[in-house]
Amino acid sequence: MRDVEALSHGWSAPLVERDKRSQRRTFPAARTSELDVSIVVVSWNTRDILRGCLRSVFEQTRKVSFEVIVIDNNSHDGSAEMVRAEFPVVTLIANAENRGFAAACNQGMQVASARYTLLLNPDTVVLDDAISRCVGYADVRPDVGVVGCQVLEDESRITPTGFSFPSPLNVFLALSGLSRAFPRSRLFGRPELSWWDRHSERDVDVVTGMFMLVRREAIAQVGLMDEAYFVYSEEADWCYRFAQAGWRRVFTPCARIVHLDGGAKSTKQASKKMFVQLQKSTMIYHRKNRGLASWWLLKLIYIGSNFVRMIAWFVLSVVKLDSRDWHRSAAARAALVYHFTGSEPK
């Protein structure tokens, strides 16, 4: 039984059976072409922003050779048709079902031929030859397996990227609001390294998956993404494996991209499901990488947090007559149902 299935039964936490097939360890180390970078973009109902992303890739990637691979997870908004019509040089894989982010990324990496793979979100815009800059950065640092770049929300605001590995303490600090209340504290701000302004280079635990340049040799050593993660936490798990294998994960401000609306354009499609999926994926990460005790502690943290949020947001929805508060309360309630029964929102 795969991790995602094993952890879907409420309170039960069976021992994890390591299904190596989900990590595809036969990924070849040697490149199969002279290309510098294979750019893998996973899309689900993001036609218009995907178009902008691809245009920026072709317009802003000037100093390296590259291929673009789009994996469409059964979009119903014409995303695949748009790629076929407007970007005929792009390799398109059109899935008959939504296979999730990790599995779709693996599909792209399995056909990638370059010496680097770039995982790029469709809700991003590449600036100032960012891809070439990151390839050049990695070329002179052979111990770096993963590179992330500076991410802008708009012209004046930097989106924090590059985080600490998940842990019960880090989740508690984030959920309790302590990390936001004391952003300059090295203790309370540790989940998102909130004291760091992202203007300097830094080794990080986790490079954020919206822009993740990965060396081919590193992938060959640790394998592809674990498909037990449908969405969320897959890059944390992957970076944990890179760390175990001795590869550095580095953030550099030498390159920049824009993340549209902080990611809201691609994730707002199923907010309640995404809220539950985030917690589910974090639970999978802890059971796999931190053990049963951390898994149980995290479950208790989530149950307490969701109970408080469900009540608080419901009261606010009644007082303020704001439907957004009611939806937040409903999401917390759905998460509680998941943690007690394993049932997820449809």
Side-chain angles (χ1 to χ4, degrees):
M1 181 181 294
R2 291 171 59 185
D3 294 351
V4 67
E5 298 168 334
L7 294 179
S8 65
H9 299 292
W11 286 94
S12 62
L15 293 176
V16 175
E17 297 179 17
R18 301 290 188 184
D19 185 353
K20 300 303 183 184
R21 291 174 298 175
S22 70
Q23 296 177 8
R24 312 286 187 183
R25 293 190 179 276
T26 58
F27 189 81
R31 59 180 174 169
T32 57
S33 75
E34 295 302 316
L35 290 176
D36 292 310
V37 58
S38 298
I39 302 166
V40 175
V41 183
V42 176
S43 176
W44 180 59
N45 296 323
T46 58
R47 181 190 60 199
D48 294 335
I49 58 176
L50 173 63
R51 178 188 290 115
C53 174
L54 295 177
R55 284 178 177 171
S56 74
V57 166
F58 284 101
E59 292 172 0
Q60 292 293 328
T61 309
R62 297 182 289 268
K63 296 180 181 178
V64 293
S65 57
F66 66 96
E67 63 180 348
V68 180
I69 304 163
V70 171
I71 302 89
D72 184 76
N73 265 334
N74 194 30
S75 297
H76 51 73
D77 67 344
S79 293
E81 293 77 9
M82 181 277 295
V83 173
R84 289 192 186 98
E86 300 182 27
F87 301 93
V89 299
V90 168
T91 299
L92 174 66
I93 300 173
N95 289 331
E97 60 181 355
N98 185 349
R99 296 191 57 191
F101 182 74
C105 283
N106 286 352
Q107 286 181 275
M109 287 187 280
Q110 285 177 303
V111 301
S113 61
R115 56 197 184 93
Y116 293 97
T117 293
L118 173 66
L119 302 185
L120 183 67
N121 272 21
D123 56 352
T124 58
V125 176
V126 176
L127 304 176
D128 305 326
D129 208 14
I131 297 173
S132 302
R133 290 171 181 263
C134 286
V135 169
Y137 178 91
D139 276 345
V140 297
R141 295 168 176 82
D143 60 336
V144 171
V146 188
V147 178
C149 72
Q150 191 179 81
V151 179
L152 305 178
E153 187 171 339
D154 55 37
E155 293 181 356
S156 61
R157 288 184 293 178
I158 295 175
T159 299
T161 56
F163 305 127
S164 300
F165 285 128
S167 70
L169 175 59
N170 287 340
V171 172
F172 172 77
L173 291 172
L175 291 177
S176 66
L178 289 170
S179 61
R180 294 185 297 276
F182 304 99
R184 299 302 175 189
S185 167
R186 296 290 177 123
L187 172 60
F188 297 128
R190 56 182 284 170
E192 295 188 355
L193 310 177
S194 54
W195 64 85
W196 169 42
D197 62 8
R198 272 67 177 181
H199 286 295
S200 59
E201 177 184 316
R202 184 185 182 93
D203 281 60
V204 295
D205 287 342
V206 180
V207 169
T208 310
M210 73 182 76
F211 183 104
M212 197 177 195
L213 183 78
V214 190
R215 191 180 300 272
R216 188 177 190 89
E217 290 80 4
I219 302 174
Q221 184 175 0
V222 309
L224 300 186
M225 286 185 163
D226 189 339
E227 295 179 11
Y229 301 94
F230 187 81
V231 66
Y232 297 127
S233 296
E234 65 286 315
E235 78 265 51
D237 179 87
W238 210 25
C239 283
Y240 184 79
R241 288 155 52 201
F242 287 129
Q244 288 183 312
W247 291 101
R248 293 172 60 201
R249 292 87 52 222
V250 178
F251 170 95
T252 174
C254 76
R256 303 181 303 157
I257 63 170
V258 175
H259 194 210
L260 301 176
D261 283 2
K265 287 185 178 293
S266 61
T267 59
K268 68 181 181 181
Q269 303 174 67
S271 57
K272 185 190 295 185
K273 292 184 66 174
M274 291 296 185
F275 183 77
V276 174
Q277 186 64 56
L278 173 61
Q279 297 187 18
K280 178 180 179 179
S281 293
T282 308
M283 296 290 293
I284 293 172
Y285 174 92
H286 278 71
R287 183 65 187 95
K288 176 183 176 183
N289 297 311
R290 298 187 64 92
L292 187 59
S294 287
W295 185 89
W296 274 106
L297 179 56
L298 183 64
K299 179 180 267 298
L300 293 174
I301 291 171
Y302 273 142
I303 288 173
S305 171
N306 287 317
F307 182 78
V308 171
R309 287 168 179 261
M310 179 183 68
I311 300 299
W313 286 119
F314 176 77
V315 171
L316 285 174
S317 71
V318 172
V319 173
K320 296 168 56 180
L321 299 178
D322 190 333
S323 62
R324 292 173 298 179
D325 294 334
W326 186 90
H327 286 298
R328 294 185 181 106
S329 178
R333 183 171 63 251
L336 280 173
V337 170
Y338 165 71
H339 286 295
F340 280 108
T341 71
S343 177
E344 300 178 49
K346 302 298 183 182

